[in-house]
Amino acid sequence: QVQLVESGGGLVQAGGSLRLSCAASERTFSSRTMGWFRQAPGKEREFVAAIRRSGDRSYYADSAKDRFTISRDNAKNTVYLQMNSLKPEDTAVYYCAAGMCIFESTCSVVERYGYWGQGTQVTVSE
């Protein structure tokens, strides 16, 4: 059983930055693709970013490109999401997920991830 614990959420003004972290309990962390998703009230969970197990490739939703950066430290079993130039529409609960996928077309799909964290709230004010 993989346990994922997110941290780093909070309240920030538009234009500000936050760095989310997700710590995994599993020793095989380095064998899994890690993803970040988000869910705003009344909306479906949506893909934000993913990074392959070795960190050689990362994928982003159009809304995240040029503003967010996903990275991972396999030695620390941790994945990060650096979010810059935040907008009010980025407000959501952000979830970390662990899965097994390789290509962008599959790594952006919720169903490809078998393990999820509890989520961390990100609120961006005007």
Side-chain angles (χ1 to χ4, degrees):
Q1 184 75 9
V2 179
Q3 293 185 329
L4 303 173
V5 179
E6 301 98 334
S7 61
L11 173 64
V12 64
Q13 288 187 327
S17 298
L18 282 175
R19 188 194 195 202
L20 305 183
S21 299
C22 172
S25 64
E26 189 193 38
R27 289 175 295 173
T28 57
F29 171 82
S30 61
S31 69
R32 299 185 183 274
T33 291
M34 298 300 297
W36 285 98
F37 290 76
R38 68 186 183 187
Q39 188 166 19
K43 295 188 177 181
E44 293 186 352
R45 192 168 297 189
E46 66 175 10
F47 171 72
V48 176
I51 186 166
R52 299 204 309 194
R53 56 188 182 180
S54 67
D56 63 327
R57 295 290 294 272
S58 55
Y59 308 115
Y60 296 91
D62 288 343
S63 60
K65 287 178 181 177
D66 300 324
R67 298 189 300 127
F68 295 1
T69 302
I70 189 171
S71 60
R72 66 189 297 163
D73 185 338
N74 287 344
K76 296 182 178 180
N77 285 3
T78 302
V79 62
Y80 306 96
L81 185 67
Q82 177 67 42
M83 304 187 294
N84 299 328
S85 302
L86 283 161
K87 304 175 182 179
E89 50 263 46
D90 294 318
T91 295
V93 177
Y94 283 71
Y95 296 91
C96 169
M100 303 295 285
C101 56
I102 298 176
F103 303 110
E104 183 172 10
S105 59
T106 51
C107 291
S108 60
V109 176
V110 169
E111 289 77 12
R112 300 296 293 192
Y113 294 83
Y115 301 97
W116 294 83
Q118 82 289 349
T120 185
Q121 177 70 47
V122 172
T123 303
V124 184
S125 63
E126 297 282 356

